[in-house]
Amino acid sequence: MEAAIQTDLQSEIEAQRRWRLLEKFSGAKRFDRLVENEFRDPEEQQARTDAALQSVIQFAATEVPYYRDLMAATGLRADDIRTVADLPRLPLLDKVTVRHNTQALQPGKLPLTERLHGVMTSSGSTGAPTRIPHTRRSVRMFSVLAQRSYRWFRLDPMGTFAYIRLADQLPRRPGRRYNRDGATLRLDRWRHAGEFFETGRWIGFNVTNPVAAQIDWLANEQPRYLATYSETLEHICLASGDVTPAESIAATMAISEQLTPAMRRRVEQTFGGPVFRPYGLNEIGAVATRCAAGRYHVHTEHCLVEVADEDGQPARPGTRGRILVTALNNPAMPLIRYDTDDLAEAVDGPCPCGRTLPAFGDIQGRYSRIAFLPEGTLTMVGAVRSALEHMPRALARPLRKFQLHQDQANHFVLRLAVASPLDADFARRILTAWREAGADRDWPLEIVEVDDIPLGPGGKFQDFTSDHMPKADEAEPATPARVSP
Ligand SMILES: [Zn+2]
């Protein structure tokens, strides 16, 4: 399903030529420089990112009270952090610390060449959001890098792009009003990439519309690309009986939330095209984009990424660690070693795709969601997902959504939202898979059929919930911040 895995400078230059800059940007070279950066010699890559890091550290250590105090407390000087390899000498910066130091993390004044653009809030699923002021340069990089991702995905810039998201993540209506359910937002050009390039139309629809309405909407609008949450893609597949709602859709883009290999297979089969994955955060902007070889390449023009173990040191290749991001373009609030709470696999060696931008492997969920689960929990969750994926089509037809819940005593309930009653064979197959996966555990599974499954906090759907998970975001950091000598 993926496009050809390997690429090189020449084919990316040709792909970039298919994008026509708007008149007012004609002759701009920044997009050509992005292409060149993707294939630089790794040592030169390293030298460039180290230089960018040094200037962020210098600024933070002199102008930002939080970092001034931190350096004083640890006896470090700005010159002690010269390369990415030196970063573990600084502690992690988690969301709670950012929330408690919103003022101290901002400089007394911005450099003369910078302007404040606005404040981004991170989408905490409960509790107070994290508020991050961004400079104009930092915000603009999001649009610049969005186009890089679309080029990697080989999207046709003149196609229609459809988004299904929460209303507060879509553009506002006149008067700053949120889009209503049932209504379609329309733009003449794509969001973000359309700020610089000629593109086709862009349309938006609320994810809070019923799945059947989303399917009708896609069938009517006939977009070429669809971007929405991983779970929403899966719900559309289930509700449409694994038949694409619109033959026009050539590719989908899964934004935020985890996309398991089983979900990816189902979505690619149903829509008959690849699922693309950018990775970003409101606190930072665009962070990385997944290439056809399955690695997430970091946008080093905008940020640096470490995959760190429990001690904040580099995770060994092949093992899982926390994704830490250092922002390079936002002096309004320099975030250094920001703990995203996401986990990814550390990788090593050159990527088969040919790009030399540093990379990390598969994103494996949120630390705060899985850190406190009893051993074996994810095996059992995987057994249910796999049994559902392999369910014969005729049996699965009534299924619309599913949600597995684990209570404190490790009793599990699988809720199945169905359009009509399921055949008894459906439950039998799941219980068989459950027993086989958990032969050494005595965890009961109850299966119940329901009409619908309500959305979680913040309007997001989770297909697995557990009483062992802390209430997201309100949790204090699991480990105290550490400082290496
Ligand atoms: Zn790659």
Side-chain angles (χ1 to χ4, degrees), residues 38-347:
E38 291 159 22
F39 299 93
R40 285 187 200 285
D41 175 81
E43 276 175 24
E44 198 190 333
Q45 291 277 15
Q46 185 70 49
R48 283 166 169 261
T49 50
D50 288 346
L53 175 64
Q54 283 166 28
S55 93
V56 168
I57 299 281
Q58 281 291 350
F59 178 78
T62 50
E63 304 294 336
V64 180
Y66 175 86
Y67 290 106
R68 229 164 27 213
D69 294 349
L70 180 69
M71 300 302 243
T74 55
L76 286 167
R77 288 168 306 122
D79 280 352
D80 293 329
I81 315 292
R82 303 191 63 82
T83 73
V84 178
D86 295 328
L87 274 173
R89 301 183 69 177
L90 293 172
L92 314 195
L93 179 64
D94 59 55
K95 289 180 191 196
V96 176
T97 306
V98 172
R99 268 214 299 277
H100 291 169
N101 293 277
T102 305
Q103 284 307 320
L105 278 162
Q106 299 179 46
K109 59 180 190 312
L110 282 174
L112 285 174
T113 51
E114 302 276 359
R115 290 283 174 277
L116 194 66
H117 178 91
V119 177
M120 302 281 166
T121 51
S122 84
S123 47
S125 34
T126 62
T130 313
R131 297 170 62 79
I132 314 285
H134 278 267
T135 59
R136 204 178 282 174
R137 179 163 61 105
S138 180
V139 169
R140 179 151 270 215
M141 278 305 279
F142 189 85
S143 299
V144 171
L145 294 168
Q147 190 270 338
R148 167 187 270 171
S149 295
Y150 300 156
R151 164 166 51 78
W152 289 10
F153 303 153
R154 297 294 186 263
L155 303 191
D156 170 4
M158 297 321 285
T160 298
F161 212 138
Y163 265 70
I164 300 179
R165 296 192 78 166
L166 290 166
D168 64 4
Q169 295 172 350
L170 291 170
R172 302 287 181 87
R173 294 232 165 232
R176 304 277 303 150
R177 280 174 303 121
Y178 287 132
N179 189 42
R180 295 173 279 107
D181 281 2
T184 300
L185 285 166
R186 295 183 190 280
L187 304 176
D188 293 339
R189 287 203 300 268
W190 292 5
R191 265 188 112 185
H192 309 304
E195 290 173 30
F196 298 101
F197 292 93
E198 303 282 357
T199 73
R201 290 181 307 118
W202 183 100
I203 51 176
F205 202 53
N206 294 356
V207 74
T208 40
N209 286 299
V211 181
Q214 296 171 23
I215 290 172
D216 287 346
W217 183 74
L218 292 169
N220 285 331
E221 297 288 344
Q222 296 281 311
R224 187 154 171 82
Y225 306 112
L226 166 63
T228 186
Y229 312 107
S230 308
E231 283 82 358
T232 307
L233 287 172
E234 184 168 59
H235 293 160
I236 290 173
C237 293
L238 289 170
S240 64
D242 292 320
V243 175
T244 183
E247 290 284 350
S248 59
I249 297 174
T252 54
M253 200 166 88
I255 41 178
S256 68
E257 306 307 303
Q258 202 189 355
L259 183 74
T260 64
M263 287 161 91
R264 174 182 291 278
R265 281 193 293 274
R266 165 168 253 147
V267 173
E268 290 187 338
Q269 269 164 25
T270 299
F271 288 93
V275 187
F276 295 118
R277 288 282 277 163
Y279 173 71
L281 305 161
N282 283 351
E283 301 92 307
I284 306 280
V287 172
T289 295
R290 188 177 183 274
C291 73
R295 289 191 184 188
Y296 287 83
H297 289 280
V298 178
H299 301 299
T300 54
E301 300 85 353
H302 188 59
C303 62
L304 306 178
V305 167
E306 302 165 80
V307 178
D309 67 13
E310 286 294 311
D311 296 324
Q313 300 293 322
R316 274 178 298 109
T319 66
R320 194 163 68 181
R322 287 163 180 254
I323 301 179
L324 310 181
V325 185
T326 296
L328 299 175
N329 291 319
N330 191 23
M333 189 187 270
L335 299 181
I336 300 171
R337 309 199 84 208
Y338 180 69
D339 185 354
T340 62
D341 192 35
D342 287 326
L343 295 168
E345 192 190 316
V347 298

